[in-house]
């Protein structure tokens, strides 16, 4: 019995970083208009660029290691076997 | 308590450091959901023993390396070594340089081939092949129990940290994190643990790296940060790795360089990185020997980078928290007694300073991830060693593979439950915590000595291996107890010696008996005022008596006024001990022992007087005060410490390092001596287990840049260069 293809860990990392990137980037944008109190260097808007970095990393990993790309393609002989069997 | 404006982010007078916004909470919830989802997804890939316990031995070098280093990157580690850097400067970075890299490279180049070609499931499994069943059983049983106990300590520490910095309920922290770990490890085994460790590695770095980046920006760069630290601490050296280690008296650790090199760099480091199965299991699961070796070397490179998120924040704490925010950190016991901030809070304090909404959630997720990766590592290693090295050889030899997988799943759950019990035990008995924190150290050094002799010396015999290992463990325990043993010495009262504060406060405040009148007379007005307020507030009189009540009392957020009262009473008791406490009238209502009455007739002074007075106070308040312990895990006996660590100024770290080195020598000596007089195994039985006899597998040719030895040499050179730069 052939084992099911295992989605690589990098894809999960991509998903969570994408979600985190969206949330942190969004919170950073919100902070532009409602600056957080008592946070040092809030004028640097770290949330925006750190969120953007997470987003880029997340999307890169999600796309590069998406299940449809990492799953092994059926070997040609498998196809011929199927045909002959049928 | 005065918090810095940057930290006064909580309302209602709470002392927690951080308050999170909804987006922060959402980020933490997403983390838990993803971790659980990975566990459920991987269950179908963990159906055989090889899958469940060894992750199918199909990890790539990168996954193995990231998991290898992530299992070690617990939050206790990052917070603890940041605190070290705040206290000792760059000396705190040794744990990531000489205290790790040579050992990791040795594991990759020398030891990994043996672990890999004998196809063992565990380090105790190697002992079985090399020395026999007795050695394996000793290693397996002791490792199993220590692993879950240490897991419980981590759990307790995590709950304490989350209560301190987030104000979270400790029951909530313990149960949510442990149930999550139990679910994902019992479903996917090592595979699930490894997947989550890789995920956690990313979170830990991305959640923490912003702190040193923003900190350096605020400090004006590295040079200005160092200048600020040096200006605030004239005559002290916070930026050198070695320059102040020529004498134990010149550095705050009280450690000579030999302790650092031979204790940390040789004994502890090699024991931890080469034979602690929690670590080794990760790279043993690689898909090939070359992947295992390269994964280990990748781990070494990543380990060398950790000071960026650990040591650097510690230094930034000195430059920014102390100099700009006006916060001075203090030892843990002092912080607990006064409600101040301890060294261990340097990293959370910096997070509170720099991380706004969203980023704070990421930082806290990183912290929780760090705790959970350590717990999952312990649980998965426990499941493997218990099933393969205790249950299968000693209890049920002939079960099916599916039965052992089922046992592994149950072990994961039972291991977590034992850890939870340990965590609650640690809440009630603080001494347990001090003992368990060094437990692994006492065990892994003799294990390393036994394993390495078995690998490199074919004359090592089964009897030599077993008895040498046992003697090494016993020697380690002996040294640990010896430095914490106080025969004939005097230990002043500590805050934890007040077993029943409500009852004691009431007795002293009412001052009906002459002893209480004397104690009250030692109190300054502030403490008397606190005592009066405490008794009037009806907190005094009836202390919690049930087990659950005691737990509830132990986990309550400490009230600064109660802490101050506790300290005030302790100070008054200790002041009374140095005076002439005894008089027949004062102790007429206290039944003293014949020995005490005999001592009362003598003229005592110094420690003898103080010890006698302490015993009188213990008699006067038998239910309220703890008796003086001869063994006190939180204190070092300076005379004994000097005998072990060569300096009376030696601190815990120095004593632990020297003890480890002596333990290594004792074990090596014992294995060699016993082996010289006992029968070795025939060559045919050890041919795949000993250097020079084991044919290394030929994995085919590979490009020069994929050769483990090349990268091991490169990492070794970088290590030397870093040490020279920060000499």
């Amino acid at each position: 019995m052939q084992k099911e293809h295992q989605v690589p860990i990098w894809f999960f990392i991509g998903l969570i970083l994408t979600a985190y990137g969206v949330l942190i980037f969004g919170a950073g944008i919100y902070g532009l208009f409602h600056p957080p109190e008592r946070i040092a260097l809030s004028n640097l808007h770290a949330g925006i660029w750190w969120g953007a970095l997470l987003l880029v990393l997340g999307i890169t990993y999600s796309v590069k290691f998406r299940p449809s790309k990492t799953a092994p393609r059926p070997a040609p002989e498998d196809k011929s076997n199927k045909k002959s069997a049928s | 308590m005065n918090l810095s404006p940057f930290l006064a982010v909580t309302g209602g007078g709470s002392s927690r450091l951080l308050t999170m916004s909804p987006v922060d909470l959402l980020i933490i919830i997403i983390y838990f959901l993803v971790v659980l989802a990975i566990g459920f997804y991987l269950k179908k890939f963990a159906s055989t023993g090889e899958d469940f316990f060894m992750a199918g031995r199909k990890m790539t070098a990168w996954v193995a390396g990231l998991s290898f280093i992530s299992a070690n990157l617990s939050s206790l580690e990052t917070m603890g070594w940041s605190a070290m850097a705040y206290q000792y400067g760059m000396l705190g970075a040794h744990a990531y340089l000489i205290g790790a890299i040579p050992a990791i490279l040795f594991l990759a180049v020398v030891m990994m081939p043996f672990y890999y070609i004998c196809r063992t499931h565990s380090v105790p499994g190697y002992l079985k092949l090399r020395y026999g069943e007795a050695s394996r059983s000793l290693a397996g049983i002791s490792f199993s129990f220590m692993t879950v106990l240490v897991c419980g300590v981590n759990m307790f520490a995590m709950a304490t940290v989350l209560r301190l910095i987030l104000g979270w309920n400790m029951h909530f922290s313990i149960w949510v994190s442990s149930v999550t770990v139990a679910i994902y490890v019992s479903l996917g085994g090592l595979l699930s643990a490894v997947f989550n460790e890789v995920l956690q590695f990313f979170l830990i770095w991305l959640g923490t790296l912003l702190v040193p980046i923003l900190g350096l920006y605020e400090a004006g760069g590295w040079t200005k940060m160092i200048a600020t630290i040096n200006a605030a601490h004239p005559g002290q050296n916070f930026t050198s790795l070695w320059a102040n280690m020529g004498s134990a008296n010149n550095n705050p650790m009280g450690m000579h360089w030999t302790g650092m090199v031979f204790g940390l760099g040789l004994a502890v480091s090699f024991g931890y990185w080469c034979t602690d199965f929690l670590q080794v299991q990760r790279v043993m699961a690689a898909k090939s020997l070359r992947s295992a070796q390269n994964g280990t070397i990748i781990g070494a490179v990543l380990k060398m980078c950790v000071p960026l998120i650990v040591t650097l924040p510690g230094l930034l704490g000195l430059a920014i928290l102390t100099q700009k925010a006006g916060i001075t950190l203090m030892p843990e016991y002092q912080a607990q007694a006064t409600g101040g901030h301890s060294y261990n809070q340097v990293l959370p304090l910096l997070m509170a300073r720099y991380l706004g909404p969203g980023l704070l959630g990421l930082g806290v997720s990183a912290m929780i991830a760090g705790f959970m990766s350590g717990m999952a590592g312990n649980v998965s290693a426990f499941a493997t060693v218990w099933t393969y090295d205790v249950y299968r050889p000693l209890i049920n030899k002939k079960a099916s593979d599916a039965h052992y997988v089922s046992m592994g799943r149950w072990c994961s759950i039972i291991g977590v439950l034992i850890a939870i019990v340990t965590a609650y035990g640690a809440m009630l008995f603080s001494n347990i915590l001090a003992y368990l924190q060094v437990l692994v150290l006492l065990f892994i050094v003799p294990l390393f000595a036994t394993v390495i002799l078995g690998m490199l010396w074919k004359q090592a015999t089964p009897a030599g291996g077993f008895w040498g290992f046992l003697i090494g463990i016993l020697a380690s325990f002996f040294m640990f107890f010896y430095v914490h043993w106080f025969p004939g010495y005097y230990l002043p009262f500590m805050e934890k010696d007040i077993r029943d504060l409500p009852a004691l406060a009431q007795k002293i405040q009412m001052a009906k008996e002459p002893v209480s009148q004397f104690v009250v007379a030692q109190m300054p007005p502030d403490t008397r005022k606190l005592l009066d307020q405490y008794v009037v507030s009806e907190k005094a009189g009836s202390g919690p008596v049930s087990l659950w009540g005691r737990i509830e009392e132990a986990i309550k957020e400490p009230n600064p006024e109660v802490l101050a009262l506790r300290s005030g009473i302790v100070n008054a008791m200790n002041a009374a001990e140095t005076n002439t406490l005894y008089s027949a009238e004062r102790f007429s209502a206290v039944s003293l022992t014949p020995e005490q009455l005999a001592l009362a007739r003598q003229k005592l002074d110094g420690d003898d007087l103080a010890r006698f007075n302490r015993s009188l106070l213990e008699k006067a308040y038998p239910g309220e005060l703890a008796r003086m312990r001869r063994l006190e895990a939180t204190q070092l006996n300076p005379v004994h410490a000097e005998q072990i660590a060569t300096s009376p100024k030696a601190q815990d770290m120095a004593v632990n390092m020297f003890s480890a080195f002596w333990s290594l020598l004792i074990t090596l000596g014992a294995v060699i001596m016993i082996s010289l007089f006992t029968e070795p195994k025939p060559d045919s039985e050890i041919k795949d287990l000993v250097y020079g006899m084991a044919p290394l597998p030929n994995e085919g040719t590979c490009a020069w840049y994929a050769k483990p030895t090349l990268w091991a040499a490169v990492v070794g050179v970088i290590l030397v260069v870093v040490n020279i730069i920060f000499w």
Side-chain angles (χ1 to χ4, degrees):
Chain A
M1 191 183 74
Q2 192 180 0
K3 271 201 165 184
E4 191 180 335
H5 169 61
Q6 193 181 97
V7 176
I9 176 60
W10 314 114
F11 178 70
F12 291 102
I13 290 170
L15 288 186
I16 197 168
L17 291 187
T18 305
Y20 281 180
V22 168
L23 289 172
I24 292 171
F25 183 79
I29 296 289
Y30 180 82
L32 277 179
F33 306 101
H34 304 87
E37 292 177 10
R38 304 184 185 98
I39 296 295
L41 305 179
S42 59
N43 57 316
L44 295 180
H45 305 295
I48 294 180
W49 50 270
W50 202 250
L53 172 74
L54 295 185
L55 200 52
V56 170
L57 275 176
I59 291 172
T60 306
Y61 274 79
S62 304
V63 172
K64 188 169 163 50
F65 296 100
R66 64 188 184 277
S68 63
K69 192 179 175 193
T70 53
R73 296 173 188 281
E77 59 268 26
D78 290 341
K79 276 185 181 175
S80 59
N81 286 345
K82 268 187 183 174
K83 274 181 187 172
S84 60
S86 63
Chain B
M1 184 172 57
N2 290 321
L3 289 172
S4 142
F6 287 109
L7 300 172
V9 290
T10 56
S14 168
S15 60
R16 62 186 168 182
L17 304 182
L18 312 173
T19 294
M20 292 191 294
S21 62
V23 72
D24 296 317
L25 285 173
L26 183 59
I27 284 175
I28 294 171
I29 291 168
I30 289 174
Y31 165 71
F32 275 95
L33 292 178
V34 170
V35 161
L36 287 172
I38 289 176
F40 280 102
Y41 171 69
L42 290 176
K43 182 174 186 290
K44 57 189 165 194
F45 298 103
S47 50
T48 68
E50 195 77 352
D51 291 335
F52 188 85
F53 297 109
M54 298 305 292
R57 292 195 199 259
K58 56 188 176 190
M59 296 293 135
T60 64
W62 274 100
V63 172
L66 288 173
S67 166
F68 175 67
I69 223 63
S70 182
N72 171 257
L73 198 58
S74 80
S75 295
L76 277 186
E77 166 113 356
T78 51
M79 290 171 62
W81 286 102
S82 297
M84 284 277 192
Y86 183 93
Q87 286 175 269
Y88 308 133
M90 287 291 286
L91 290 182
H94 277 300
Y96 300 92
L97 299 169
I98 193 171
I101 307 305
I104 297 176
L105 298 181
F106 185 79
L107 171 67
V109 176
V110 178
M111 296 181 78
M112 190 49 68
F114 295 99
Y115 284 140
Y116 208 82
I117 57 180
C118 69
R119 303 294 287 177
T120 179
H121 288 93
S122 63
V123 174
Y126 177 83
L127 288 180
K128 153 79 171 72
L129 297 171
R130 180 64 184 84
Y131 292 116
E133 199 59 76
S135 298
R136 175 183 34 200
S137 298
L138 177 61
I141 293 171
S142 47
F143 180 84
S144 299
F145 283 103
M146 272 186 278
T147 307
V148 288
L149 294 181
V150 170
C151 184
V153 172
N154 286 347
M155 209 178 267
F156 169 71
M158 177 195 70
T160 308
V161 168
L162 294 180
R163 184 195 65 190
L164 275 174
I165 63 176
L166 297 169
W168 284 7
N169 181 288
M170 286 180 77
H171 300 304
F172 175 82
S173 301
I174 286 177
W175 284 96
V176 169
S177 62
S178 53
V179 167
T180 307
V181 167
I183 289 174
Y184 80 70
V185 176
S186 63
L187 287 173
L190 181 64
L191 188 61
S192 191
V194 165
F195 261 52
N196 279 303
E197 281 158 7
V198 176
L199 172 67
Q200 284 149 2
F201 177 86
F202 277 78
L203 295 187
I204 290 166
W205 269 91
L206 291 169
T208 317
L209 188 59
L210 203 50
V211 168
I213 291 174
L214 293 172
L216 273 183
Y217 181 89
E218 187 179 13
W222 172 266
T223 311
K224 284 193 178 171
M225 178 190 77
I226 296 299
T228 307
I229 295 172
N230 289 339
H233 302 89
Q236 293 185 53
N237 187 343
F238 279 86
T239 55
S240 293
L241 285 170
W242 296 105
N244 55 354
M245 297 210 73
S247 161
N249 297 330
N250 291 346
N251 63 77
M253 275 186 187
M255 178 151 44
H256 191 252
W257 66 267
T258 49
M260 195 62 91
V261 172
F262 298 112
L264 178 66
L266 182 63
V268 174
S269 168
F270 277 70
Y272 185 74
W273 292 100
C274 298
T275 43
D276 186 343
F277 183 55
L278 166 64
Q279 294 302 132
V280 177
Q281 185 184 27
R282 269 80 196 134
V283 274
M284 279 166 81
K287 64 181 180 183
S288 66
L289 173 57
R290 191 173 295 145
S291 296
Q293 291 181 296
N294 282 333
T296 310
I297 293 166
I298 288 169
V301 175
L302 298 171
K303 184 74 180 172
M304 263 202 286
C305 299
V306 175
L308 289 175
I309 55 169
V310 171
T311 311
L312 190 47
L315 295 174
L316 285 165
L318 284 169
I320 289 176
L321 287 181
T322 308
Q323 301 306 314
K324 293 197 174 183
I327 301 170
T328 301
L329 307 184
M330 55 189 77
E332 191 69 46
Y333 72 89
Q334 205 177 335
Q336 281 180 7
T338 62
H341 295 297
S342 76
Y343 298 133
N344 290 326
Q345 292 177 12
V346 62
L347 196 54
L349 282 166
L350 287 168
M351 280 185 181
R353 183 174 177 82
Y354 296 123
L355 303 185
L359 289 172
L360 186 59
L362 183 61
V364 173
S365 296
M367 201 176 283
I368 296 171
F371 278 118
M372 285 176 42
S373 65
M375 281 161 54
N378 279 304
V379 170
S380 59
F382 166 74
T384 306
V385 170
W386 175 265
T387 305
Y388 277 142
D389 297 311
V390 179
Y391 180 74
R392 189 165 72 174
L394 301 179
I395 300 170
N396 189 349
K397 289 182 180 171
K398 292 179 181 170
S400 64
D401 186 58
H403 177 83
Y404 292 127
V405 173
S406 174
M407 171 55 64
R409 292 191 202 281
W410 279 108
C411 275
S412 307
I413 295 167
I414 292 166
V416 167
L417 289 176
I418 299 173
I420 290 173
V421 171
T422 309
Y424 279 101
M427 286 176 198
L428 292 176
F429 308 103
S430 55
N431 260 10
I432 289 181
L433 196 64
Y435 292 124
L436 292 184
Q437 278 169 341
V438 291
L439 205 55
V440 173
L441 204 63
L442 307 178
F443 168 75
I444 56 166
V445 176
L447 178 63
F448 170 72
T450 310
V451 169
I452 197 64
L453 268 181
M455 278 187 182
L456 301 182
W457 190 46
K458 76 172 195 173
Q459 296 300 323
T461 65
F466 174 77
W467 289 108
F469 183 30
L470 185 60
I471 289 169
I473 294 174
L474 294 176
S476 296
F477 274 90
F478 171 77
M479 282 185 279
F480 175 75
F481 289 124
Y482 185 63
V483 294
H484 295 100
W485 185 41
F486 292 82
Y489 287 84
Y490 157 67
L491 271 176
F493 279 111
M494 291 181 273
E495 278 77 0
K496 66 178 181 178
D497 290 330
I498 299 180
R499 292 195 307 194
D500 190 345
L501 179 63
L504 181 65
Q506 192 168 50
K507 273 191 178 178
I508 295 175
Q509 197 263 350
M510 292 172 77
K512 282 183 180 167
E513 342 81 64
V515 179
S516 292
Q517 290 163 8
F518 186 80
V519 172
V520 168
Q522 313 298 317
M523 288 182 174
D526 287 356
T527 307
R528 283 190 213 182
K529 194 176 164 191
L530 280 173
L531 183 64
D532 292 341
Q533 287 171 349
Y534 182 79
V535 173
V536 170
S537 69
E538 297 179 353
K539 288 173 186 159
S542 56
V545 285
S546 70
L547 185 64
W548 187 251
R550 287 176 61 198
I551 290 175
E552 284 296 318
E553 186 67 21
I555 68 166
K556 262 199 315 203
E557 189 171 338
N559 179 331
E561 289 178 353
V562 175
L563 291 174
L565 173 63
R566 195 177 272 269
S567 293
I569 293 177
V570 165
N571 292 337
M573 293 280 181
N574 289 333
E577 286 167 8
T578 55
N579 283 318
T580 307
L581 173 63
Y582 180 79
S583 71
E585 299 75 35
R586 191 171 289 145
F587 281 85
S588 57
V590 180
S591 80
L592 300 179
T593 63
E595 291 81 18
Q596 285 175 315
L597 291 171
L599 284 170
R601 286 190 287 273
Q602 296 177 21
K603 188 169 171 56
L604 300 171
D605 57 9
D607 276 3
D608 291 335
L609 175 65
R611 188 167 58 246
F612 171 60
N613 284 343
R614 175 167 175 162
S615 74
L616 292 177
L617 290 170
E618 288 166 8
K619 268 286 179 191
Y621 304 103
E624 294 82 15
L625 292 175
R627 299 192 65 176
M628 186 166 69
R629 287 169 287 273
R630 296 218 164 172
L631 196 62
E632 175 50 62
T634 59
Q635 303 283 317
L636 282 176
N637 180 329
V639 178
H640 295 181
E642 182 179 9
Q643 290 164 353
I644 298 286
T646 73
S647 167
K649 291 190 172 182
Q651 300 298 302
D652 283 305
M653 176 120 176
V655 170
N656 289 341
M657 296 306 117
F658 273 100
S659 301
F661 180 58
W662 302 133
S663 167
L664 179 74
L665 292 184
I666 289 168
T667 313
L668 288 173
V671 175
I672 291 171
M673 290 304 294
I674 296 167
S675 294
L676 289 176
F677 298 101
T678 48
E679 189 70 25
K681 276 188 165 185
D683 287 1
S684 58
E685 288 184 25
I686 57 173
K687 64 182 172 57
D688 284 342
L689 307 166
V690 181
Y691 192 79
M693 298 176 72
L696 296 184
N698 181 3
E699 296 201 309
T701 55
C702 67
W704 62 269
Y705 54 80
K707 289 190 173 167
T709 45
L710 168 76
W711 289 109
V714 170
V715 175
V717 170
I718 294 172
L719 173 68
V720 172
V721 171
V722 169
N723 275 278
I724 291 172
I725 291 173
F726 293 101
W727 186 267

